[in-house]
Amino acid sequence: MTDIATSDPTLITGTLTTSPEQVTRTRTIDEVVAEAAHLRSWARLLGEDVAETNRQMSEMHQQAVAVQLEAKALGIAKQSVGEMLNELANAGFAWRDIAALAGVSVPAVRRWRQGEAPTGPNRLAVARIVALMETLRDDHLVSDVASWMEMPLVADASVTAIDLAVAGRLQEVVEIAAGHSTGEDVLDRSQPGWREHYRSDFEVFEAPDGELGTRPVTRERA
Amino acid sequence: MSLETFEKPDDLYLARGEEVNPLRPLFTGDVVADVAIPGVQDGGTAVVVAHPCSMRGKDAQLEPRVLVAAVAEGGKIGRAAWAGGHFALMPLPDLVEASKLCVARVDDIGKALTEQLVAGTRVACLTPFGVNLLQQRFIWRLTRHEVPTYQLQEVSAHVFEEADLLEEWSDTVCAVGASPERAAASFEAFVRADRGGGNSLQGDLRDPQRRSTVRSACRAEAERVTEEFRCRQGDP
């Protein structure tokens, strides 16, 4: 067995002996391989531990955010539904989106605006939207929350934070705003295959009459 | 090839029956009763299939005639069957009655009189998804080209938005006695006004990131117009 040259960066001095004389010897390649394999396994296990801890912390964080949003919503629900709807309208939300987020029809929201009282669960549903909006604005400094929620989560797909929230994934909306997750992370988790689903060879463009249209993406324009 | 389909009937309808707001402007996907379609039917139900941009001319006035398709009872076709067949039809489940299927026959089309559509009873208005699905099936039937509904949405989102804003504006302004025509005229003037550099709120609606600002501006202006109208009426 050939010793490794002393200039070799894999040289480890004195780590294999407990002798008080601090005997230094060059380790054999077999020892280096075994040690490297051990370190690799150790790093992998450490990585798995970190990933698992991260997963558990994410889960705990999401649960905590859900509890926080619910507590906030219960407080907000003390307001009249008219006040809550006004707050959302002033923030620039579309009634169509408010209806979808509350899980009701657009005409139902219209009736509430005109004074009809919603059911208790629906009143709480509206309060949850306000709670989400206030959390994004006040805790995560999102400017113009309605506009932010209408922004595509990733460049190549039309999924927005509104879509996530309509699907009940409010915590993930908060996670994205907080910078703990990206739109890609969330779509990978919630909609596997989204890249293929939204892949398109067509693009939207302004036609000569001034209106929008679609056309194939050509190599020159791509 | 697989066209899209609905999860539940509610996905297709913005409003049905008495829920339809008479102040909502006539729009693609509106289902109207008692409509004559030349060469197709003397009366009966029809759905507007014209694109929102092609049914209005200058100053947003409706063209004298609008392209529609006949609507009829549809028998029994399961939800899953729509993805790969029945391409001459657009499903309209629970349109007038629960668990009863109606269909738009996209081959039976013609230009109906706009005044008949406006004066007729609107049975339903479709959601943006419903309109996009109608267009997807129509395009496939005519060209065998499959266009995803999300892409149709990208092209039409700003006109859906404008229709919603006009409906909301009219709700606000007509509540103090203004006529729907006057409300529509004041809305058009406001959103089309040049705000410098050839920009207008109507143009801003094309940018999804500016829509919330346009909504806020329209809501504030509708309140101002309402207040002005109320003062002129002598209402304290």
Side-chain angles (χ1 to χ4, degrees), chain B residues 20-174:
Chain B
V20 173
N21 184 354
L23 294 174
R24 185 171 177 80
L26 189 71
F27 200 79
T28 313
D30 283 1
V31 183
V32 186
D34 302 322
V35 178
I37 309 175
V40 176
Q41 64 184 30
D42 295 329
T45 309
V47 60
V48 176
V49 294
H51 190 272
C53 300
S54 59
M55 57 197 271
R56 289 178 189 273
K58 271 194 164 185
D59 301 325
Q61 294 299 307
L62 286 164
E63 298 286 359
R65 284 182 177 271
V66 169
L67 191 67
V68 299
V71 171
E73 287 188 12
K76 290 195 186 305
I77 301 173
R79 193 181 64 81
W82 295 102
H86 307 287
F87 298 132
L89 307 174
M90 159 73 186
L92 295 169
D94 299 8
L95 176 67
V96 284
E97 203 177 309
S99 305
K100 195 170 170 185
L101 177 69
C102 288
V103 291
R105 300 195 310 251
V106 297
D107 284 343
D108 293 342
I109 55 174
K111 292 185 103 175
L113 280 171
T114 301
E115 58 193 37
Q116 203 172 36
L117 292 167
V118 172
T121 304
R122 249 187 296 184
V123 178
C125 298
L126 298 188
T127 56
F129 174 70
V131 173
N132 294 333
L133 198 63
L134 171 66
Q135 290 179 336
Q136 185 188 56
R137 300 190 76 81
F138 199 32
I139 293 167
W140 175 258
R141 183 66 178 168
L142 291 176
T143 66
R144 310 292 288 178
H145 177 54
E146 184 183 352
V147 185
T149 56
Y150 72 82
Q151 198 132 51
L152 294 167
Q153 174 66 18
E154 278 182 46
V155 175
S156 301
H158 64 293
V159 281
F160 288 130
E161 195 73 53
E162 193 174 333
D164 285 353
L165 285 173
L166 172 54
E167 178 183 351
E168 185 181 349
W169 179 288
S170 299
D171 271 344
T172 307
V173 176
C174 294

Side-chain angles (χ1 to χ4, degrees), chain A residues 16-128:
Chain A
L16 294 178
T17 177
T18 54
S19 158
E21 292 83 15
Q22 290 290 306
V23 175
T24 300
R25 71 172 176 82
T26 304
R27 299 169 66 199
T28 66
I29 187 64
D30 289 346
E31 288 170 335
V32 170
V33 167
E35 182 74 4
H38 170 72
L39 287 172
R40 196 174 168 186
S41 299
W42 189 45
R44 181 176 52 77
L45 290 171
L46 201 62
E48 285 174 5
D49 278 356
V50 169
E52 175 59 15
T53 307
N54 183 39
R55 193 193 61 73
Q56 287 177 4
M57 289 302 104
S58 297
E59 212 173 280
M60 196 179 82
H61 182 226
Q62 284 196 11
Q63 286 169 358
V65 168
V67 171
Q68 183 194 36
L69 284 174
E70 199 61 13
K72 204 177 246 186
L74 284 169
I76 291 167
K78 291 176 187 169
Q79 298 172 34
S80 73
V81 76
E83 287 171 318
M84 292 188 282
L85 290 175
N86 275 343
E87 192 172 343
L88 293 169
N90 291 338
F93 279 92
W95 296 117
R96 187 179 356 97
D97 290 334
I98 293 170
L101 288 163
V104 298
S105 67
V106 174
V109 174
R110 184 165 172 260
R111 287 196 298 272
W112 299 343
R113 282 160 52 206
Q114 291 171 342
E116 186 179 297
T119 63
N122 284 339
R123 181 173 176 153
L124 188 56
V126 176
R128 283 195 189 103

